[in-house]
Amino acid sequence: MRKILYFILTILALTACKKEIPFDYHEVEPLVVVEGRVTNEGASVLITRSRSVADSVRARCQQGAVVTISADGSSTTLPYDAATDSYRSSMTGIPGTTYRLDVLFDGHHYEASAFMPAAAPILSADFYWMSVMDERVLVYELWATDPYPDERNQFWYRVDRISHHPHLEGKSKTEPYRWGVHEDRGSPAGKVFFDIMTVSEKAMDEDDEDNWKSILYDGDTITCQLMTIDRPVYDYFSSLRAGQSGGANPASNISGGCLGYFTAGSVTRTDTIVFRRSSVKQWTR
């Protein structure tokens, strides 16, 4: 019932009228933002400063920080990497380990810790049409193995696409398409299952410019990464999604007075899907 209600609300949002609403905001002094992660694929930390809501320029990583990640009595210093504009290391995380992040920057010390759960191997991922009221909605369905079947587990996911949008005259780039967090509540025993809402069939047919970033076109390539995370990071991303519309900052798991998060997680990835609308089947379960 909750899933059906979610889809109904999403459909209403996709078809609602648009109206410009004036937004009165006040400027505040920039705050340090730390975004760090250690995974089975390496470690990275991005340090930026918050920007005005009217500033569309991408924030650059702040250099001059001392960044270390430690666990079990050993520590690794992450040097600044100009190619990725972040602090990086090839060190890989080990599931079952609690990692600590320490950042010394501009006379301040920021620290956090995060537990690294085991990976959730992805079993399958594909697109389906799901009927909701009088609409058909394109959903991305993902199945994975639950690493701890007898416990409540949390996950972060991101769907990326390389767009072959016909209106971009052949230009293509990899870009985040959908992201979110998920808890395995309600999934079959030993499995992780969820549907990711993408776009309505009506929006795809109308092909309005306002929806180009949401519409999938034939030839678009899709990949997805799934990362097991601990509860504090799940709560951070949940509050981030909830606060986006209201401008509220999520509660950071990093102490010292900065914004951001630190996570230790195990990443698994799907095979690449080349999207073909004609091959999408109706969801029947």
Side-chain angles (χ1 to χ4, degrees):
M1 182 61 68
R2 287 171 55 190
K3 181 178 291 186
I4 293 175
L5 178 60
Y6 166 75
F7 281 123
I8 291 174
L9 293 174
T10 305
I11 288 295
L12 292 175
L14 291 173
T15 58
C17 296
K18 295 183 178 180
K19 180 181 179 181
E20 288 192 11
I21 300 176
F23 181 60
D24 184 21
Y25 59 90
H26 62 278
E27 298 287 346
V28 297
E29 289 297 320
L31 299 174
V32 173
V33 182
V34 177
E35 299 169 274
R37 60 165 55 187
V38 55
T39 74
N40 51 306
E41 298 180 341
S44 65
V45 175
L46 178 65
I47 303 173
T48 58
R49 294 187 187 274
S50 60
R51 297 172 289 123
S52 166
V53 69
D55 185 359
S56 61
V57 178
R58 176 183 177 273
R60 301 284 299 178
C61 183
Q62 300 292 298
Q63 300 184 44
V66 178
V67 180
T68 59
I69 294 178
S70 57
D72 298 331
S74 63
S75 64
T76 300
T77 300
L78 281 63
Y80 173 75
D81 177 48
T84 59
D85 192 33
S86 64
Y87 296 85
R88 299 188 72 86
S89 171
S90 60
M91 66 166 288
T92 54
I94 300 174
T97 304
T98 297
Y99 289 90
R100 174 188 169 99
L101 170 70
D102 286 277
V103 175
L104 295 175
F105 175 66
D106 200 21
H108 295 275
H109 177 220
Y110 308 104
E111 63 180 34
S113 64
F115 175 78
M116 182 173 177
I122 295 174
L123 300 172
S124 66
D126 210 344
F127 287 97
Y128 293 91
W129 291 114
M130 181 174 288
S131 297
V132 182
M133 300 178 68
D134 295 328
E135 291 274 3
R136 286 213 306 173
V137 180
L138 186 67
V139 298
Y140 185 67
E141 183 181 274
L142 186 143
W143 286 85
T145 300
D146 196 329
Y148 306 104
D150 299 325
E151 301 176 15
R152 184 70 62 218
N153 302 298
Q154 294 79 38
F155 307 89
W156 171 90
Y157 65 82
R158 192 181 79 188
V159 180
D160 291 324
R161 76 167 175 180
I162 297 178
S163 176
H164 298 279
H165 198 298
H167 304 287
L168 296 181
E169 299 179 352
K171 296 180 181 179
S172 63
K173 63 177 182 178
T174 301
E175 59 182 10
Y177 178 65
R178 292 289 187 271
W179 75 271
V181 289
H182 176 74
E183 194 172 36
D184 59 1
R185 188 189 306 274
S187 294
K191 299 289 175 56
V192 181
F193 161 73
F194 55 96
D195 292 319
I196 303 170
M197 171 75 70
T198 62
V199 64
S200 70
E201 186 177 34
K202 179 180 178 181
M204 296 180 75
D205 290 338
E206 293 176 346
D207 197 22
D208 289 338
E209 183 175 357
D210 289 343
N211 295 321
W212 284 353
K213 289 185 177 181
S214 295
I215 297 172
L216 293 177
Y217 295 90
D218 283 359
D220 286 1
T221 54
I222 302 295
T223 57
C224 179
Q225 55 179 300
L226 179 68
M227 182 167 66
T228 52
I229 55 178
D230 62 7
R231 168 62 68 174
V233 176
Y234 172 83
D235 291 340
Y236 171 86
F237 283 117
S238 295
S239 60
L240 177 63
R241 290 299 296 264
Q244 280 182 332
S245 58
N249 291 320
S252 174
N253 68 335
I254 304 177
S255 65
C258 69
L259 302 177
Y261 70 94
F262 173 61
T263 184
S266 299
V267 177
T268 57
R269 298 177 182 273
T270 63
D271 293 331
T272 299
I273 295 176
V274 178
F275 181 77
R276 300 292 177 190
R277 183 173 176 179
S278 61
S279 66
V280 177
K281 300 177 181 179
Q282 179 70 25
W283 190 87
T284 56
R285 284 189 289 275

